[in-house]
Amino acid sequence: EDQVTQSPEALRLQEGESSSLNCSYTVSGLRGLFWYRQDPGKGPEFLFTLYSAGEEKEKERLKATLTKKESFLHITAPKPEDSATYLCAVQGKEGGKLIFGQGTELSVKP
Amino acid sequence: DGGITQSPKYLFRKEGQNVTLSCEQNLNHDAMYWYRQDPGQGLRLIYYSQIVNDFQKGDIAEGYSVSREKKESFPLTVTSAQKNPTAFYLCASSAHGGVGHFGDGTRLSIL
């Protein structure tokens, strides 16, 4: 059964304190792994897609990496505006549906 | 600008009542999805459709129904059989095998 687990559930950082969020997955043939940012009361906003092990994508202070079993979202020198819930999802080759993890709630204090 | 529109933003259901949540997209995407989000839980798939006039049950389809008569539209009905409907409902769409784009959700509560 396809499954996604994110850790930690919540992360509190000081502004400028770099850290990483983890997304572990099991899927029968990975079509793609997706990272989203979700602000309270809003729908998830797409950040990155990763397709194969070894791939990396960057956007401002965020960098996503992928191995055969997990993905990391590295946050370098975060700012308070980076506070949000970060969601990871996988899409298997068998069907088009996205399987989501439970998310990591990030809080960055000034 | 292309996107997904969900309405209403807030919805209240009375006992024994069916309610319908609207989802419209102008991205020309084939696939559309409905997710439910509860506090502390990830998004759980209710129904999805990969083509017009066809849809499949997700992981928590009981008490819900959908239709896909047009490519642009994928309404979700929360029936009276759904005993715990209070949640944040998210609609998404994607091109085949592509990124999911989300609407801004409908928050459903019980009166």
Side-chain angles (χ1 to χ4, degrees):
Chain A
E1 181 182 342
D2 298 347
Q3 192 170 3
V4 178
T5 303
Q6 291 186 247
S7 62
E9 289 187 9
L11 181 62
R12 294 187 176 188
L13 300 174
Q14 288 297 124
E15 185 171 1
E17 180 186 1
S18 300
S19 187
S20 297
L21 283 56
N22 178 263
C23 172
S24 298
Y25 66 91
T26 54
V27 65
S28 53
L30 180 68
R31 175 175 281 173
L33 184 142
F34 306 89
W35 282 99
Y36 292 85
R37 169 193 170 124
Q38 187 178 23
D39 293 301
K42 296 285 190 180
E45 175 188 343
F46 169 72
L47 293 173
F48 303 108
T49 307
L50 301 167
Y51 295 104
S52 58
E55 190 174 359
E56 298 182 352
K57 294 275 180 73
E58 285 189 67
K59 180 179 180 179
E60 295 180 358
R61 296 176 291 282
L62 300 177
K63 179 172 142 181
T65 62
L66 182 65
T67 73
K68 288 185 178 179
K69 293 183 179 180
E70 57 191 350
S71 176
F72 292 94
L73 185 65
H74 306 278
I75 303 176
T76 303
K79 297 182 178 182
E81 53 262 42
D82 294 321
S83 298
T85 296
Y86 290 85
L87 300 169
C88 170
V90 297
Q91 190 175 53
K93 289 191 186 300
E94 290 185 358
K97 62 181 181 178
L98 296 173
I99 308 297
F100 280 83
Q102 76 275 32
T104 293
E105 185 177 354
L106 174 66
S107 175
V108 182
K109 299 299 183 185
Chain B
D1 286 343
I4 298 178
T5 302
Q6 289 188 243
S7 63
K9 191 170 179 64
Y10 299 97
L11 187 58
F12 298 90
R13 195 190 87 170
K14 295 179 181 178
E15 196 73 33
Q17 184 182 41
N18 294 350
V19 292
T20 298
L21 285 61
S22 171
C23 177
E24 302 279 332
Q25 56 105 352
N26 60 4
L27 298 165
N28 199 34
H29 286 166
D30 290 316
M32 296 188 74
Y33 312 82
W34 274 105
Y35 290 90
R36 170 180 172 141
Q37 189 173 37
D38 295 282
Q41 297 194 39
L43 276 66
R44 293 184 290 167
L45 184 64
I46 305 172
Y47 268 98
Y48 65 106
S49 168
Q50 294 182 303
I51 196 169
V52 174
N53 292 322
D54 188 38
F55 49 83
Q56 290 78 40
K57 292 182 179 180
D59 301 317
I60 55 165
E62 186 175 349
Y64 300 97
S65 66
V66 294
S67 63
R68 187 84 186 278
E69 298 176 0
K70 298 187 300 181
K71 188 175 186 178
E72 303 80 19
S73 179
F74 192 41
L76 173 74
T77 296
V78 183
T79 75
S80 57
Q82 172 49 247
K83 297 307 179 188
N84 184 26
T86 298
F88 190 48
Y89 291 86
L90 287 161
C91 178
S93 72
S94 71
H96 182 65
V99 173
H101 295 265
F102 285 83
D104 272 343
T106 293
R107 190 166 298 280
L108 176 62
S109 302
I110 298 300
L111 280 179

